[in-house]
Amino acid sequence: MSPPPGPMRTDDFDYCLPPELIAQTPVEPRDSSRLLVLDRATGSVQHRQFTDILQLIPPGAVLVLNHSRVIPARLYGRRKATGGRVELLLLRREEAGVWQALGRPGRGLRPGSVIRLEPPHSSGGEPGQPVPAFSGLPEGQPVEAEVISVGDDGVRRVRLSMESGIDRLGEMPLPPYIHQPLTDPERYQTVYSREPGSAAAPTAGLHFTPELLDTLRAKGVETAFVTLHVGLDTFRPVSEDDPQEHAIHTEYYELPAETAQILARARAQGRPIIAVGTTSVRTLEQVGKDLEDSGKSVGDSIEPASGQADLYILPGHQFRLVDGMITNFHLPRSTLVMLVSAFAGRENILAAYQEAIAQRYRFYSFGDAMLIW
C-alpha cells in the first residue's frame, strides 16, 4: 500500500468505540466468534462466522501461528524497606533471573529497592505471608525482586532471587480494558501455545480449536509455527502526534528451520501465506526485511532466524511474506491498527471498523476476528 497523502498523523488512526462493545469474556466455544472478511483490493466486507475459514482458506495455503505462551507475569509484593504495596508486570526475560518489568507505584522503585513477593490475590493467601508451598517454592522461603536499573521510559530491570515456580506465583496479566476476572486462565492462551515468554496473548489465535486446526490440515492447509513474545508495546499507546516519532520496543522472535522450509516451498509454488495475528505478521516481515538487508531476495531463500524484532509497520511498508492475515479488532491510535492499515489501507480499515461497530461486533482481546486479504 502507498503512504497516505500528506503528513501522517496519529489522529488518522483514531475511531470512536462504544464501551459496551469491548468484550469482557471469551465466547464458548472458541470458534463461535464472528468473522468480518475484508477484501483489501476493493474494500468490500462480508459478515461470516469464524468456522467459515474452512471454506475461505484455500487448500495449499500456509497458516502461520505464534505459539508463544503467556506467563503469569503480574506479581504482587511489598517493599522490604517500608512495607508499601508494589505490583510488578514482567515484560521480557533478559537472562537467568533478570527481567524487564513495569512497576507500580513507580516513585519508590529506584535501583536497589527490594520487593518481597506475596501470594497472588487469586490464591486466597494473606498479604504479607510467606509464599506457600502451592507455588512450587520451598515452604516459607521468601522470593524477592531487586530493582537493578530504571530506564528513561520507566521500564525497570529486576533480578528475581529465584525463578523456580514463578509460573504459579504470578497472575495472568489481562489487558486494562478487561474488568471481569478470568475463571479459566487457559482461555487467555491459544490451544497451541508452547513457548513461555509473552506478557499478553497473541489474541487472534484464541479463536482456534484443536478440531478446527485438524479439519484445516485435512483439507490441505499447512500450519507452521513461529515465536514472538509479546512485550511492552501492547501496553503503550502512541502518544506522539506523528506516529513515525513513536519508539517501538523490541520483542524476541524465532523462525524455526521447519517453518522456514515450509514458507520457502510455499513461495516457490505460489501458495498464499496467511499470518494469524499481528505478532506472526511482525515475525515474518522482520525476517523478510532482514533477508533483503543482507542482500538476499525473499524469493530465493527463507532461512531460520531469531533475534529482537524492531520492525515498525506503518502505511507505506512493502509486505514481503504475508499475503493475508487473521486478526482481531485493535485499539484506536495503536501501532496495531497502523499495521493493519499498512496492509489493507487506512480508509478500508476504518470503514470496516465502522461497519463492525454498526453490526455490534465484539472488540479487542476476547472479541471477534477479521480475515484480511
Side-chain angles (χ1 to χ4, degrees):
M1 294 291 170
S2 299
M8 196 184 310
R9 309 295 294 173
T10 300
D11 287 344
D12 295 336
F13 304 92
D14 202 359
Y15 68 93
C16 184
L17 179 70
E20 66 271 16
L21 296 185
I22 300 174
Q24 295 296 311
T25 56
V27 296
E28 295 294 348
R30 290 173 180 258
D31 58 5
S32 63
S33 55
R34 298 167 72 185
L35 179 71
L36 186 148
V37 182
L38 172 61
D39 184 326
R40 60 186 178 129
T42 66
S44 64
V45 301
Q46 301 176 47
H47 301 292
R48 309 288 288 263
Q49 295 298 124
F50 193 79
T51 50
D52 290 344
I53 63 170
L54 292 171
Q55 292 78 48
L56 293 167
I57 297 180
V62 176
L63 208 59
V64 180
L65 307 113
N66 179 11
H67 61 186
S68 179
R69 185 169 176 81
V70 187
I71 58 173
R74 196 176 302 278
L75 303 172
Y76 301 94
R78 293 178 181 270
R79 289 182 60 202
K80 195 171 180 179
T82 66
R85 291 182 181 274
V86 172
E87 179 181 325
L88 292 176
L89 178 62
L90 302 181
L91 298 174
R92 183 164 69 88
R93 189 177 190 260
E94 293 186 350
E95 58 185 85
V98 178
W99 292 74
Q100 292 182 5
L102 296 176
R104 188 172 62 179
R107 179 176 297 179
L109 294 179
R110 301 182 179 90
S113 299
V114 176
I115 301 103
R116 178 162 291 188
L117 301 180
E118 298 177 345
H121 294 179
S122 59
S123 73
E126 292 296 323
Q129 296 299 310
V131 176
F134 82 89
S135 67
L137 301 168
E139 183 85 38
Q141 182 173 346
V143 183
E144 296 179 339
E146 179 185 0
V147 179
I148 304 170
S149 62
V150 181
D152 293 339
D153 55 4
V155 176
R156 284 151 172 82
R157 295 176 68 242
V158 299
R159 179 181 288 110
L160 300 175
S161 61
M162 64 176 70
E163 286 184 315
S164 113
I166 199 71
D167 57 328
R168 287 188 284 170
L169 179 59
E171 286 187 336
M172 196 63 73
L174 291 178
Y177 49 76
I178 294 178
H179 306 297
Q180 293 193 27
L182 187 61
T183 56
D184 178 8
E186 282 300 308
R187 284 302 276 111
Y188 195 55
Q189 306 278 12
T190 63
V191 296
Y192 47 79
S193 65
R194 190 174 73 189
E195 301 293 334
S198 278
T203 54
L206 296 179
H207 305 281
F208 287 90
T209 64
E211 295 77 16
L212 183 59
L213 287 168
D214 286 345
T215 306
L216 282 167
R217 294 183 184 111
K219 67 168 281 187
V221 174
E222 275 194 279
T223 55
F225 294 93
V226 297
T227 299
L228 186 136
H229 291 321
V230 186
L232 179 62
D233 267 320
T234 296
F235 302 94
R236 290 182 67 228
V238 177
S239 57
E240 297 83 358
D241 292 335
D242 181 351
Q244 296 175 94
E245 296 178 357
H246 178 73
I248 195 163
H249 281 246
T250 62
E251 296 168 318
Y252 175 80
Y253 78 93
E254 181 178 0
L255 183 83
E258 181 181 2
T259 297
Q261 293 168 4
I262 291 171
L263 297 177
R265 286 197 303 269
R267 295 292 288 183
Q269 297 166 1
R271 294 184 283 123
I273 296 171
I274 301 172
V276 176
T278 56
T279 59
S280 296
V281 172
R282 283 195 69 206
T283 302
L284 295 178
E285 291 303 303
Q286 182 76 53
V287 169
K289 177 181 180 295
D290 291 345
L291 280 172
E292 290 192 357
D293 288 348
S294 66
K296 300 177 181 178
S297 167
V298 174
D300 296 337
S301 174
I302 299 175
E303 302 172 351
S306 63
Q308 297 298 321
D310 60 1
L311 181 61
Y312 185 12
I313 298 178
L314 290 168
H317 174 82
Q318 299 300 312
F319 284 82
R320 299 166 174 86
L321 280 173
V322 176
D323 302 305
M325 71 175 74
I326 295 171
T327 185
N328 282 14
F329 295 92
H330 303 293
L331 276 73
R333 302 169 62 90
S334 65
T335 60
L336 302 183
V337 80
M338 294 171 189
L339 183 153
V340 295
S341 294
F343 187 69
R346 182 182 66 87
E347 292 182 356
N348 285 345
I349 288 294
L350 293 182
Y353 273 42
Q354 290 305 316
E355 175 68 10
I357 291 169
Q359 297 296 324
R360 310 296 288 177
Y361 276 69
R362 304 167 79 244
F363 275 62
Y364 303 164
S365 295
F366 287 142
D368 295 313
M370 295 180 72
L371 170 62
I372 309 173
W373 53 7

